[in-house]
Amino acid sequence: MTYKNFTIETDADGIALVTWDMPDKSMNVFTVEVMDEIEKIVDQTVADAAIKGVVFTSGKKTFSGGADLTMIKGMFSMLEEEKAKDPAGAVKKLFDAAGRMTWLWRKIETCGKPWVAAINGTCMGGAFELSLACHGRVASNSKSVKLALPEVKVGIFPGAGGTQRVSRLANTQDALQMMTTGSSLTASRAKAMNLVHQVVEPDQLIPAAKQMIKDGLKAVAPWDEKGFKAPGGGIWTPAAAQLWPAAPAILRRETAGNYPAALAILKCVYEGLQVPFDTGLKIEQRYFTQIVQTTEAFSMIRSLFVSMQELGKGARRPAGVGKTELKKVGVVGAGFMGASIAYVTAAAGIPVVLIDRDMEAAGKGKTVSEGLVAGTVSKGRMTKDEGEALLSLITPTDDYGSLKDADLVIEAVFEDRDVKKAVIEKVEAVLPEGAIFASNTSTLPITGLAKNSKRPADFIGIHFFSPVEKMMLTEVILGKETGDKALAVALDYVAAIRKTPIVVNDTRGFFVNRCVLRYMSESYNMLIEGVPPVMIENAAKFAGMPVGPLSLNDEVAIDLSLKILKATVADLGEKAIDPRHMELVSRMVEKEGRFGRKNGKGFYEYPAKPAKKFLWPGLKDFYPQKKAEDVDMKTLQERFLATIALEAARTVEEGIVIDPREADVGSILGFGFAPYTGGALSYIDGMGVKTFVELCERLAKDYGAHFKPTPLLIDMAAKGETFYGRFDPYGEEKKAA
Ligand code: NAD
């Protein structure tokens, strides 16, 4: 029998090597067709008496990334359509769909012939669950092997037996930790956790897997043997009595109760370990069906899985412009940002010239990459040779002539119009025809900067976030005259450095900073009202923000906030800001000398390590303090999320952001907007625009006009619309179909 996605070669020992290698994909993923073929392979290998056992591996560099986008999208659209027709029947269909993988993997496990997974690279989600259903698991001793059940990161959980098998193989604490955080395991860590049997050199992977079968590997899972006991003895042991009461509390501390899928993992493991294995699988299937129907799962999958991949693959890339393979990139300004931009560019294998005012400054910029490389090598994530190869791609210089064959130049010089103007002119004097100039400015509108350019169509903004090597987002800013070629090259570059782009029209603060400023300014309002600072920080965390607003303000620097407030007054007049904010921030900076983390004094105090930072007690003397019992934590949480979501809605209303996917992904990757909501616009869609408008009206009455719902929101509420309905990102595709 032949298959589209698999090949089978049976050797003289009767061992069938099943190699998964999807012809039209760079990575193996689960589709309905793949599942159907796996089912046929199980039947075929069971039926063929000459086959003694199966080794299951991948023909690609990675093993598999798990489920496919289209399968996930299909499941949600099926649910939506069916629910409209027959709500109860829809849930039953969902339950059955959720069980397809579960029972197929169980079929492998109980087929009567030994299966061994030979894991040669990244093995995620359903693919790891398939491996766990095999009787043996061998992994390559390679840093490219990463094993994970990362479903919780997109609002669901391992629903194909993962919760039941991991908790029957590894000790409970490790199992819970791994699944509730979705973290990756190296091959050796997986072996230490008892999740793989052997770790071998890559060239020994298939022979070692076959050897397990030749050595008489039993085709019976441990839990199908009589007398099986989970590691540590299961639920009714003294150790479990210590662990289980604490587990939900620890989870609550980490997630503030915002992630139903994480709690469902605890339930699956706790309940599953008390029943026979097949019943455990059913328990998991039931919880999975329940979790998939939550707003959190729907919104997180949409933004963090579907949209992120679509944007990464160039959803906003103009059609009809050929792909640019960047042969050389110039970075002008080798300071804090430029030095790191050079690093991420070289890390993508692209040669970079790093220019500054003199050789010394340019060379200093390269030392940043040397430090980053040394750190990565010492952690074992890069070999010495790879590190040297990376560094050899960065050429520090003060000679603009070296840009004569660059495809793209990114400037990251001082945030000063005149300095930037001079640099634009110098670069354009040597830059070849058709090459693109990008500015990393964070505050200066691109359209204005492009006025200094002789070729504004080739001028664009590529706005990075700090720390550049860690932040996954970049904002690509279109000036009024920016052309399609510039956008295409910018997106090709962002894809090459493996970051996620959002494309934003020109405005003061672009998208991310506009939203972040709202977050911080709401914390100023709360301070002025006398809300105890610790309640402000905690409310933000309970709302799902990774960093409290005061802590964030310390990181970006309070003197920078003062600078921004002053610049806003200078450009837009006194009325553009709240004078009480200016008073608060200038008191912090000019009177108290508190600039933020950078001088060790901000809203927090920063004692010498290992002591932890703590809120500066003097802050309480600024305003008469409210009593804790007079402050409603829930309202504080609503204020933070609503003020950001309102700003995101304004950017859509103004035509700054035109695709809701970008506002959502940008808000999560840019400043960690409560990920369980799916992002700032999904937060609104999730509760319904009408409910959001009512919330805003209530907050406006109590906390000020900045909460007033905008005309767009009022209109959408009246019409019962959503952002994803009114600004449908797939509208064009649907029309074409
Ligand atoms: P920085 O002061 O650390 O670096 C600026 C560098 O530009 C310095 O090395 C300086 O020597 C060099 N430079 C100045 N004039 C030059 C010239 N004429 N020719 C060549 N080099 C010159 O500043 P930074 O924080 O890296 O910011 C750079 C740009 O990035 C600014 O536009 C800023 O708004 C933007 N930005 C900064 C951040 C951030 O977090 N710091 C984030 C996003 C964007």
Side-chain angles (χ1 to χ4, degrees):
M1 211 182 285
T2 57
Y3 300 93
K4 184 171 160 203
N5 302 293
F6 298 89
T7 55
I8 305 186
E9 291 166 72
T10 307
D11 68 12
D13 297 314
I15 299 174
L17 177 66
V18 175
T19 306
W20 184 11
D21 195 352
M22 297 174 83
D24 44 2
K25 302 249 184 210
S26 57
M27 195 189 255
N28 292 324
V29 285
F30 291 110
T31 60
V32 173
E33 183 187 64
V34 165
M35 311 261 284
D36 289 345
E37 291 196 345
I38 293 178
E39 181 132 37
K40 285 192 189 125
I41 291 169
V42 181
D43 292 339
Q44 181 198 338
T45 52
V46 168
D48 187 341
I51 293 179
K52 304 280 177 272
V54 173
V55 169
F56 189 95
T57 193
S58 154
K60 311 225 183 265
K61 273 194 196 145
T62 54
F63 188 82
S64 162
D68 180 45
L69 269 188
T70 46
M71 196 162 100
I72 299 276
K73 274 170 118 176
M75 191 167 73
F76 279 111
S77 47
M78 182 278 280
L79 183 64
E80 224 170 280
E81 280 166 30
E82 294 289 326
K83 266 197 166 163
K85 287 188 260 164
D86 169 15
V91 175
K92 171 80 181 83
K93 275 199 174 154
L94 179 65
F95 179 76
D96 293 340
R100 172 85 209 273
M101 225 184 231
T102 306
W103 299 105
L104 180 52
W105 292 181
R106 183 66 174 144
K107 183 170 173 173
I108 293 174
E109 192 167 66
T110 55
C111 76
K113 290 188 179 175
W115 277 53
V116 179
I119 303 164
N120 58 320
T122 297
C123 179
M124 296 280 165
F128 191 22
E129 291 180 296
L130 182 152
S131 308
L132 291 166
C134 291
H135 308 96
R137 286 168 291 285
V138 187
S140 281
N141 181 19
S142 151
K143 65 179 185 321
S144 67
V145 170
K146 283 191 205 114
L147 303 126
L149 295 174
E151 290 85 347
V152 77
K153 292 184 178 168
V154 293
I156 51 175
F157 68 86
T163 64
Q164 300 307 303
R165 291 192 177 89
V166 172
S167 59
R168 282 168 172 80
L169 288 166
N171 83 55
T172 312
Q173 197 169 347
D174 288 347
L176 293 180
Q177 159 84 13
M178 174 208 169
M179 291 189 284
T180 54
T181 58
S183 51
S184 292
L185 307 174
T186 59
S188 57
R189 173 72 186 134
K191 176 147 190 291
M193 278 176 70
N194 198 30
L195 297 178
V196 301
H197 297 95
Q198 290 183 37
V199 178
V200 300
E201 288 311 306
D203 61 349
Q204 289 306 304
L205 184 67
I206 303 300
K210 288 186 168 181
Q211 195 58 46
M212 277 187 95
I213 296 173
K214 285 191 252 175
D215 290 345
L217 177 68
K218 256 188 161 179
V220 181
W223 35 90
D224 289 326
E225 301 257 32
K226 262 215 168 111
F228 168 76
K229 274 207 163 43
I235 300 294
W236 307 112
T237 62
Q242 297 257 321
L243 172 79
W244 281 104
I250 294 169
L251 186 70
R252 199 169 173 83
R253 187 188 64 199
E254 298 301 320
T255 64
N258 288 323
Y259 294 85
L263 187 61
I265 292 172
L266 259 57
K267 293 182 188 174
C268 287
V269 173
Y270 186 74
E271 294 173 29
L273 283 179
Q274 302 181 51
V275 293
F277 187 74
D278 281 334
T279 314
L281 288 181
K282 259 186 222 147
I283 288 173
E284 184 192 79
Q285 192 180 349
R286 288 213 182 108
Y287 278 123
F288 190 82
T289 308
Q290 199 181 70
I291 291 298
V292 167
Q293 294 177 77
T294 59
T295 307
E296 288 85 350
F298 176 79
S299 307
M300 285 177 83
I301 288 184
R302 179 168 65 190
S303 294
L304 291 167
F305 192 62
V306 179
S307 302
M308 225 164 95
Q309 284 198 33
E310 287 173 348
L311 296 178
K313 285 182 184 159
R316 289 290 308 281
R317 199 179 178 283
V321 184
K323 189 167 183 259
T324 305
E325 295 291 345
L326 294 143
K327 288 182 283 306
K328 192 184 209 182
V329 168
V331 176
V332 186
F336 178 65
M337 294 300 285
S340 303
I341 295 170
Y343 172 79
V344 296
T345 308
I350 304 169
V352 197
V353 279
L354 180 58
I355 298 183
D356 210 295
R357 288 175 293 188
D358 49 52
M359 266 313 284
E360 196 191 332
K364 207 169 142 220
K366 184 169 174 176
T367 60
V368 171
S369 289
E370 287 161 2
L372 288 167
V373 164
T376 319
V377 170
S378 74
K379 284 187 199 126
R381 297 206 191 120
M382 191 186 268
T383 64
K384 220 166 156 248
D385 288 351
E386 285 166 343
E388 276 165 17
L390 188 160
L391 290 173
S392 74
L393 292 174
I394 304 175
T395 311
T397 177
D398 56 0
D399 173 19
Y400 281 72
S402 58
L403 297 176
K404 68 178 187 315
D405 52 353
D407 304 298
L408 168 71
V409 171
I410 302 166
E411 74 76 15
V413 298
F414 297 143
E415 190 74 337
D416 178 298
R417 281 194 178 89
D418 293 333
V419 175
K420 295 216 190 270
K421 176 174 188 287
V423 165
I424 294 164
E425 285 165 358
K426 265 177 143 170
V427 171
E428 285 193 352
V430 287
L431 201 61
E433 196 64 28
I436 304 302
F437 186 100
S439 173
N440 179 44
T441 177
S442 32
T443 57
L444 304 171
I446 293 299
T447 308
L449 281 181
K451 294 215 158 76
N452 302 307
S453 165
K454 288 204 191 81
R455 17 182 162 153
D458 295 337
F459 196 103
I460 197 162
I462 302 183
H463 183 217
F464 287 85
F465 296 90
S466 137
V468 176
E469 61 285 359
K470 292 213 178 104
M471 294 292 285
M472 285 160 72
L473 186 75
T474 51
E475 272 179 302
V476 173
I477 321 294
L478 300 176
K480 276 219 169 64
E481 295 186 58
T482 303
D484 276 358
K485 163 99 192 280
L487 174 58
V489 171
L491 292 179
D492 290 343
Y493 168 71
V494 174
I497 59 170
R498 289 184 286 276
K499 297 205 185 284
T500 305
I502 60 169
V503 181
V504 177
N505 286 318
D506 207 9
T507 179
R508 207 185 171 76
F510 313 133
F511 171 74
V512 168
N513 286 347
R514 268 181 70 161
C515 293
V516 171
L517 285 179
R518 289 285 175 178
Y519 180 46
M520 294 197 284
S521 97
E522 199 54 25
S523 71
Y524 298 162
N525 289 338
M526 291 174 186
L527 282 174
I528 292 161
E529 288 161 26
V531 177
V534 67
M535 292 185 84
I536 298 176
E537 293 290 86
N538 282 339
K541 285 190 202 137
F542 293 168
M545 301 299 289
V547 183
L550 302 175
S551 181
L552 182 67
N553 206 158
D554 273 4
E555 294 299 325
V556 296
I558 309 174
D559 59 323
L560 182 66
S561 300
L562 183 59
K563 231 169 130 183
I564 293 172
L565 283 171
K566 285 183 173 167
T568 309
V569 171
D571 292 353
L572 305 175
E574 294 281 352
K575 285 210 173 116
I577 64 144
D578 184 333
R580 299 169 314 158
H581 292 183
M582 182 72 101
E583 215 178 277
L584 163 63
V585 175
S586 53
R587 179 168 171 189
M588 284 293 284
V589 175
E590 288 166 354
K591 182 148 175 266
E592 307 286 350
R594 306 193 73 89
F595 293 5
R597 180 191 270 283
K598 66 181 179 188
N599 77 337
K601 290 194 295 182
F603 289 113
Y604 282 78
E605 286 282 23
Y606 296 88
K609 279 185 177 166
K612 283 192 178 154
K613 70 176 184 181
F614 57 90
L615 279 157
W616 175 49
L619 193 54
K620 286 203 213 133
D621 302 332
F622 278 32
Y623 306 98
Q625 295 292 286
K626 283 190 170 166
K627 284 202 200 110
E629 56 269 32
D630 294 335
V631 179
D632 179 31
M633 283 296 270
K634 183 153 177 283
T635 307
L636 298 184
Q637 293 171 44
E638 288 171 337
R639 287 170 66 181
F640 280 131
L641 299 189
T643 193
I644 298 171
L646 260 169
E647 190 64 18
R650 285 185 201 106
T651 65
V652 174
E653 190 156 4
E654 292 164 24
I656 302 302
V657 169
I658 60 166
D659 184 329
R661 291 176 295 185
E662 296 182 307
D664 274 343
V665 171
S667 64
I668 297 179
L669 296 188
F671 52 95
F673 184 88
Y676 65 90
T677 63
L681 294 182
S682 282
Y683 168 70
I684 302 177
D685 274 5
M687 74 173 79
V689 179
K690 187 162 170 282
T691 308
F692 182 70
V693 165
E694 286 160 7
L695 169 68
C696 291
E697 279 163 351
R698 174 164 60 81
L699 293 175
K701 197 161 89 9
D702 294 340
Y703 301 101
H706 60 293
F707 279 112
K708 273 197 178 150
T710 66
L712 170 70
L713 286 163
I714 292 169
D715 185 52
M716 287 172 66
K719 293 178 179 151
E721 290 177 335
T722 61
F723 278 95
Y724 280 81
R726 180 155 171 161
F727 304 94
D728 185 356
Y730 309 107
E732 293 299 315
E733 266 171 53
K734 283 182 193 157
K735 261 190 243 156

